[in-house]
Amino acid sequence: MEHPLNPIDEVFLAMDRNIGMVHGQFLRFDGTPPSLDVLHDHLADRLPRLSRLTHRAGSEGRRTSRAPRPGFDLRDHVREVELPAGTTLDEALGVLARQPLPASGPLWSVHLVHGYAVGEYAVCYRVHHGLEDGTGAAHVATVLFGDPRQPGRTRQDEQRNGPLFTAGPVELLRGTLSVGAGLARALVPARLWPKAPRPGPGHLAVCSTGATWHELSRLGRKHGGTVNDAFLMALWGALAAWSASGESNDVRSAFRSAPVPVRMPLSTRHTGEETAVGNHLTTATVMLPGRELPPAEAFAQLVESTHRMRSSGLRPASRAFVALLPSAVTRWTVRRLLSPRSAPLYASNYTVPKNLCFKGDPVTDAIPLGVLLPGNPLSVTLLSCGSRVQVSFLYDRRLPGAQRLAALWREALDALDALDAPAALNTPAAPDQLFTY
């Protein structure tokens, strides 16, 4: 049976099929690495609940859809990567980020990674963004490595089945205005950001760092915000420190401008649509405050702007537009919103369950591998798994000093945590929720 792709899927697939548009999770396990056959048999046992993994996207005339691929062979998508002892975690992540997807068949792969550390191995699921957003990829990881006996874990792949309109007319009107404002900023940005050259496969690299959910939650609440606000404020500090060392003609100099727009995906899924196949999201732009502001004042400004974004009606309006507007109009709009000349950075966050395991070995950490949109020099992703949070930067290794970004993010988080709490907050503390994917 064929399933039509939505216009957002089509845009991501048409952008580029190189490895920069592939995202996923690097799941770390304590234990002895299994054989590739053991991993294959485990995946084969879970595959009936994930029909999406047997589908390939294709076009026939103006119609683009996904359908089961004849002759699908799971072994084409399960691979082994043995790394030299002593390979650092970031080096291992970089190796995975540079791995191509299968040349034919569905655009995803699962890698068994070992050798880099004693008593540890990893399983990495990667998928092209044109077939899966972050929530969808998290669902796949849950089915592959979650407990199949738990309620809700045996649901088959589904299409979006919730109501078309998930808000009242006033909120939908606000959302329509938000979509229009975002499109205007994309078409006529306050400044044209330099378009980065497209990196080749060998140019991609990753750096990562960890934190706890409690750290981000405490910091966000102290300033009346959320975990996501704390994540973005640490990014604000990291970009300030990184760009300060750039020369006048260095690409880092662009990030010294104030403020810096950051593009973020917002999920448009309704409750119960976690298993829906494809991309169900919209795009918002968050302005990181100017570097000249004191950190506490910058934090307050950021919290105010993200609060407005959450209450703007952008999600429900975008959900309705994708369903009601002609596909060509939606594709044109999405391409404009993703223009690298209007925002130099893509930032996202999402979560995977904490109780994932493989053959009795519990997951100890989950590190995200993000996407690098064409024309952007880097991207940053936060992935939450239980009490742990991991942040990774995907970048072009030709970008000077980019390998320090994760460490700078961690340093910025520690510095922000040392700030005194504001004497009074203009807005009540928002709930601890990740409002992107």
Side-chain angles (χ1 to χ4, degrees):
M1 180 181 297
E2 291 188 350
H3 301 281
L5 297 181
N6 71 49
I8 303 173
D9 299 338
E10 293 176 319
V11 169
F12 280 129
L13 278 172
M15 271 185 176
D16 201 338
R17 296 206 174 194
N18 71 11
I19 54 183
M21 289 302 296
V22 181
H23 66 109
Q25 308 105 22
F26 186 89
L27 303 178
R28 300 171 66 188
F29 299 90
D30 281 342
T32 302
S35 69
L36 195 62
D37 287 339
V38 169
L39 176 60
H40 172 273
D41 292 345
H42 174 87
L43 298 178
D45 181 60
R46 304 293 176 101
L47 196 61
R49 296 193 293 276
L50 289 168
S51 58
R52 65 182 71 186
L53 297 185
T54 67
H55 290 190
R56 177 171 173 79
S59 299
E60 185 175 342
R62 295 184 178 181
R63 183 181 180 185
T64 306
S65 60
R66 58 195 301 164
R69 174 176 168 79
F72 171 82
D73 188 345
L74 178 59
R75 292 193 179 276
D76 293 337
H77 301 268
V78 184
R79 302 170 178 174
E80 184 173 14
V81 177
E82 184 173 1
L83 298 172
T87 299
T88 67
L89 188 57
D90 285 351
E91 289 170 342
L93 294 170
V95 169
L96 268 295
R98 295 189 290 271
Q99 293 291 314
L101 292 177
S104 61
L107 296 174
W108 65 272
S109 62
V110 171
H111 289 78
L112 173 63
V113 188
H114 60 94
Y116 62 96
V118 177
E120 177 182 325
Y121 64 95
V123 178
C124 185
Y125 168 67
R126 300 170 66 240
V127 63
H128 195 283
H129 207 324
L131 302 182
E132 208 85 85
D133 60 21
T135 299
H139 167 69
V140 170
T142 301
V143 174
L144 293 181
F145 300 105
D147 186 345
R149 298 169 296 180
Q150 290 188 355
R153 293 292 184 254
T154 60
R155 297 178 66 179
Q156 298 283 342
D157 290 341
E158 296 176 359
Q159 300 302 305
R160 198 171 69 175
N161 55 10
L164 175 59
F165 297 104
T166 57
V170 174
E171 188 173 356
L172 287 173
L173 176 59
R174 287 202 306 266
T176 300
L177 296 175
S178 296
V179 173
L183 185 58
R185 286 192 298 268
L187 292 174
V188 189
R191 64 162 293 182
L192 285 177
W193 291 84
K195 185 177 180 181
R198 180 174 299 175
H203 293 148
L204 290 181
V206 180
C207 61
S208 65
T209 189
T212 66
W213 178 272
H214 178 68
E215 285 180 285
L216 294 176
S217 175
R218 182 183 65 236
L219 177 59
R221 286 179 176 274
K222 186 166 70 173
H223 293 267
T226 65
V227 166
N228 190 76
D229 293 321
F231 163 54
L232 291 175
M233 271 305 297
L235 177 62
W236 173 80
L239 291 177
W242 173 64
S243 61
S245 57
E247 302 295 335
S248 58
N249 60 346
D250 192 322
V251 68
R252 286 174 289 185
S253 63
F255 287 86
R256 287 202 291 269
S257 300
V260 175
V262 176
R263 187 180 295 107
M264 300 195 78
L266 306 179
S267 176
T268 60
R269 294 171 186 256
H270 190 260
T271 303
E273 293 179 341
E274 295 80 8
T275 65
V277 180
N279 288 272
H280 305 283
L281 50 84
T282 186
T283 300
T285 299
V286 177
M287 305 300 293
L288 295 185
R291 288 179 51 196
E292 73 282 357
L293 293 177
E297 185 177 341
F299 213 141
Q301 189 178 107
L302 177 69
V303 168
E304 182 180 355
S305 65
T306 57
H307 176 75
R308 286 198 306 268
M309 183 171 64
R310 283 196 301 274
S311 59
S312 68
L314 181 59
R315 291 176 191 257
S318 298
R319 177 186 176 95
F321 287 156
V322 171
L324 297 175
L325 292 178
S327 294
V329 174
T330 302
R331 288 194 297 268
W332 183 87
T333 302
V334 172
R335 291 190 189 103
R336 302 291 83 75
L337 292 174
L338 296 179
S339 169
R341 303 307 299 271
S342 61
L345 179 62
Y346 190 68
S348 61
N349 60 46
Y350 64 104
T351 185
V352 294
K354 64 180 180 180
N355 58 343
L356 304 182
C357 67
F358 176 51
K359 296 299 180 182
D361 296 335
V363 67
T364 59
D365 228 340
I367 305 175
L369 291 172
V371 298
L372 192 59
L373 294 180
N376 280 171
L378 58 92
S379 70
V380 57
T381 306
L382 179 150
L383 180 59
S384 170
C385 180
S387 62
R388 292 289 300 167
V389 169
Q390 289 288 342
V391 174
S392 70
F393 289 79
L394 178 66
Y395 60 92
D396 185 334
R397 63 172 63 193
R398 296 170 296 182
L399 201 59
Q403 73 279 2
R404 299 176 54 241
L405 279 165
L408 292 173
W409 184 93
R410 179 68 244 193
E411 291 174 8
L413 182 67
D414 292 336
L416 289 166
D417 191 49
L419 291 176
D420 292 331
L425 296 174
N426 295 324
T427 57
D432 274 340
Q433 60 180 356
L434 299 180
F435 65 86
T436 54
Y437 281 149

